[in-house]
Amino acid sequence: MKLFATTAAALCLAIAAVPALANSPTEKDAIAMVERGVALVKAKGKDEMMKRINAKDAEYVQGELYMDIRDLKTGIVLAHPYNPSIVGKDLTDVPDANGKKYRREIIELAAAKGKGWVDYQYKNPTSGKIEPKTTFIQRVDDVVLEVGIYKK
């Protein structure tokens, strides 16, 4: 009976830990969100995408997993759900905490290949700390959709 109680307790602890793991977004989650965004931009245009990001639509803003959008030619941020102060600004050559000009890399990757991953440091809206992040980007028409995950 004691073995059963110990096993049952261990199982309960394991099950309780699953939601914490499930809440950490994955690369697949980032790609899926970008793909939803690409479909929306193709169907309804970039203005609708910007509106949904700014409204923190649950399809595109889920805690630390969120989408932002940037103009491909100018580098100007068109919408950002957590940092509206950067909307309308060209931050292309502003480096991250380690000096990396990751926004320039995002634009160059979008222009050259259309999509891919970029690594850099960024403030996590959930923790408030600068953390390593990898972002999946995809060009659609004249904009770049970006969704990243924080590396744990």
Side-chain angles (χ1 to χ4, degrees), residues 68 106 116-120 133-137 146-149:
D68 64 272
I106 287 170
W117 291 94
V118 175
D119 295 329
Y120 56 99
K133 185 172 185 178
T134 188
T135 292
F136 184 71
I137 64 101
E146 308 170 16
V147 176
I149 58 169

Side-chain angles (χ1 to χ4, degrees), residues 81-139:
Y82 292 121
N83 197 353
S85 68
I86 67 173
V87 174
K89 295 182 180 174
D90 177 5
L91 304 172
T92 304
D93 290 316
V94 175
D96 71 1
N98 291 338
K100 183 176 183 176
K101 294 181 180 179
Y102 70 93
R103 294 172 181 105
R104 166 95 30 220
E105 188 175 327
I106 287 170
I107 291 167
E108 290 171 355
L109 179 61
K113 295 185 179 177
K115 63 183 173 181
W117 291 94
V118 175
D119 295 329
Y120 56 99
Q121 301 284 319
Y122 202 76
K123 184 177 179 180
N124 183 328
T126 304
S127 73
K129 297 177 183 175
I130 301 294
E131 298 178 9
K133 185 172 185 178
T134 188
T135 292
F136 184 71
I137 64 101
Q138 186 166 342
R139 179 182 71 225

Side-chain angles (χ1 to χ4, degrees), residues 33-107:
M33 187 177 282
V34 167
E35 289 173 347
R36 285 194 305 272
V38 168
L40 180 74
V41 171
K42 287 181 177 180
K44 298 188 176 184
K46 70 180 175 186
D47 289 338
E48 180 65 19
M49 183 80 263
M50 292 164 40
K51 183 174 130 185
R52 295 208 186 176
I53 291 170
N54 289 329
K56 297 184 181 179
D57 182 312
E59 284 289 310
Y60 306 103
V61 182
Q62 301 166 4
E64 68 182 42
L65 185 73
Y66 60 88
M67 179 178 294
D68 64 272
I69 184 171
R70 162 182 335 270
D71 184 276
L72 179 63
K73 293 178 183 135
T74 66
I76 291 174
V77 178
L78 301 174
H80 194 290
Y82 292 121
N83 197 353
S85 68
I86 67 173
V87 174
K89 295 182 180 174
D90 177 5
L91 304 172
T92 304
D93 290 316
V94 175
D96 71 1
N98 291 338
K100 183 176 183 176
K101 294 181 180 179
Y102 70 93
R103 294 172 181 105
R104 166 95 30 220
E105 188 175 327
I106 287 170
I107 291 167

